[in-house]
Amino acid sequence: NNFDRTSKPEIAQALGLSLPTVQQNIRELIHMGLVREAGTFDSTGGRKALAVTSVKESHWALGIDITGNHLGFVLTDLSGRTLIHERIKLRFENSTAYYRELGKRIDDFREQHGRRSSRFLGYGISVPGIIDRSGTTLLYSHALGLRDLPCREISDFLDGTSFFINDANAAGFAETYRDDERDDAVYLFLSRSVGGALLQNRRLPAGNDPLGETIYTGDNNRSSEFGHMTLYPDGIRCYCGKLGCADSYCSSRVLATEEGEELISFFERLADGESRAEAVWAGYLKNLAIVVNNLRMVYDTKVIIGGEVGRYIGPYMKDLETLAARRNTFDEEGSYLTACRHKVESSALGAALIMIERFITGI
């Protein structure tokens, strides 16, 4: 994922390949329009080494995040960076009219921002729900009020290849995509509902499926449903019908309790020192620390706080670290905790990155 200049000897050393093999592969990539020569490096006494770089703008993908009230768009190329993002209001309904309008909004976005001279890889589509292992059916979405919806009901209105993924898995994939350390991680998705992803963040051999190899999905493609871990037996009733689920205590809905209040308004009140907001936040952090500690005990890896709450939690991470450390049997501090890097449209970005990574690993 490093798209700065490099040299053939550096590539050979990094990959453990012979220089002739690297030279042959570079020639093929140049012929494919994926790599180009980019001048020379300063000499250290011998012949100046030729520099090469990727043609990152040669291919691009569009990520789409479908929620109950909005559509999120992210355009990315082979760099894997968010180049353009946009969010528009469009209330979801399970109807042909909605899916047709969805297709129109996507066409409009492509027309406005598309790379006419580049190759379009397709659409990554994130949804708040469980996708079957074949990727062809949205099995269940409480947020959208759906069961057993064939994905083609949506993709038939799109011009190009499409891929569907759970929104939390997509956001988690985006969060660790450019992580050079390639550590495993748990991504905790705190939005209107609570979910997450377990990221086995290792480098992939060419040709492997980045989703299957990087995100642990479980036997039924519904792993990391952290929101339905029992936090308090016989506690508050969750939307799933069970009592005491973490979702009832750690979703963004717990914070934005005022009628029609946006989450940003809550954090503005909190920053202003409003006593009611501070009391709500204190209770929220206490419950979140329990969830975080449980995840640390199970997975023994770093925990990333993401989703809507992750966008604003940065100034309060030290407080969360302290509370989590008090509950931890082994760690005396909470440095394993981190706030997410991607603050906007992380699910849409992650969905697009699946398309990018599938292309790169398939070269």
Side-chain angles (χ1 to χ4, degrees):
N1 290 328
N2 185 349
F3 291 89
D4 295 331
R5 297 193 311 162
T6 187
S7 68
K8 296 170 188 177
E10 285 178 337
I11 295 172
Q13 182 178 11
L15 298 181
L17 299 173
S18 68
L19 187 57
T21 297
V22 170
Q23 290 172 331
Q24 175 60 32
N25 286 333
I26 291 295
R27 282 195 293 269
E28 292 181 15
L29 291 171
I30 289 175
H31 179 73
M32 296 167 65
L34 298 174
V35 169
R36 63 171 173 253
E37 293 183 350
T40 60
F41 289 101
D42 293 337
S43 173
T44 57
R47 183 179 178 182
K48 290 184 177 181
L50 289 173
V52 293
T53 189
S54 67
V55 186
K56 57 184 179 297
E57 66 275 11
S58 64
H59 292 73
W60 64 286
L62 180 59
I64 304 156
D65 181 37
I66 299 175
T67 76
N69 295 305
H70 298 89
L71 291 176
F73 296 132
V74 166
L75 184 148
T76 189
D77 59 16
L78 298 186
S79 71
R81 296 183 174 92
T82 296
L83 303 178
I84 300 169
H85 68 85
E86 183 177 326
R87 170 161 283 216
I88 61 173
K89 285 191 175 183
L90 184 64
R91 188 170 183 81
F92 178 84
E93 61 179 50
N94 184 18
S95 69
T96 300
Y98 172 86
Y99 299 129
R100 183 179 291 111
E101 181 64 19
L102 169 65
K104 180 181 181 301
R105 299 295 183 96
I106 292 170
D107 286 343
D108 291 344
F109 185 87
R110 281 191 61 183
E111 180 67 23
Q112 183 178 1
H113 301 296
R115 303 302 199 249
R116 295 185 180 277
S117 61
S118 305
R119 299 177 188 175
F120 179 57
L121 298 176
Y123 307 96
I125 304 172
S126 78
V127 292
I130 298 169
I131 309 293
D132 75 333
R133 193 165 292 280
S134 69
T136 61
T137 304
L138 175 53
L139 297 175
Y140 172 70
S141 172
H142 169 78
L144 302 181
L146 294 175
R147 284 188 182 273
D148 299 322
L149 178 77
C151 293
R152 67 174 184 273
E153 295 284 341
I154 299 172
S155 60
D156 279 352
F157 292 92
L158 306 181
D159 180 20
T161 302
S162 60
F163 170 85
F164 289 79
I165 182 174
N166 168 267
D167 56 355
N169 283 340
F173 187 83
E175 192 62 33
T176 57
Y177 185 69
R178 299 182 62 83
D179 187 350
D180 291 335
E181 295 179 358
R182 293 287 176 171
D183 295 330
D184 293 344
V186 170
Y187 181 81
L188 183 57
F189 189 70
L190 304 173
S191 290
R192 297 284 297 173
S193 59
V194 175
L198 175 58
L199 298 135
Q200 304 164 118
N201 199 24
R202 306 303 183 193
R203 295 189 182 277
L204 306 176
N208 282 11
D209 184 347
L211 179 61
E213 293 294 320
T214 303
I215 302 174
Y216 177 75
T217 56
D219 292 340
N220 301 289
N221 227 32
R222 57 177 186 242
S223 72
S224 304
E225 287 287 347
F226 303 136
H228 298 294
M229 299 187 301
T230 301
L231 191 58
Y232 293 107
D234 304 320
I236 299 171
R237 186 172 299 277
C238 177
Y239 69 79
C240 74
K242 306 300 182 182
L243 299 178
C245 291
D247 192 284
S248 298
Y249 299 87
C250 294
S251 76
S252 63
R253 292 176 288 109
V254 175
L255 303 175
T257 56
E258 302 291 339
E259 184 67 28
E261 182 181 25
E262 298 288 340
L263 191 61
I264 187 174
S265 298
F266 170 82
F267 280 99
E268 287 172 348
R269 291 193 288 115
L270 182 63
D272 289 340
E274 182 187 292
S275 58
R276 182 178 176 185
E278 289 179 338
V280 170
W281 183 240
Y284 182 90
L285 279 186
K286 174 187 173 183
N287 292 323
L288 181 57
I290 297 173
V291 173
V292 163
N293 183 62
N294 288 343
L295 295 176
R296 178 68 170 179
M297 289 297 99
V298 173
Y299 297 112
D300 189 31
T301 189
K302 68 179 178 182
V303 178
I304 303 168
I305 307 298
E308 294 175 348
V309 176
R311 180 178 182 179
Y312 302 104
I313 203 170
Y316 310 99
M317 284 301 296
K318 287 297 182 183
D319 296 333
L320 179 59
E321 289 177 15
T322 299
L323 290 172
R326 288 174 184 169
R327 292 191 169 274
N328 195 291
T329 304
F330 307 107
D331 297 311
E332 294 183 358
E333 38 77 40
S335 61
Y336 63 87
L337 275 164
T338 183
C340 61
R341 292 180 293 177
H342 296 290
K343 310 299 183 185
V344 294
E345 305 304 343
S346 57
S347 294
L349 174 61
L353 289 176
I354 293 289
M355 305 299 291
I356 296 294
E357 188 69 3
R358 282 184 164 183
F359 172 74
I360 290 175
T361 56
I363 294 173

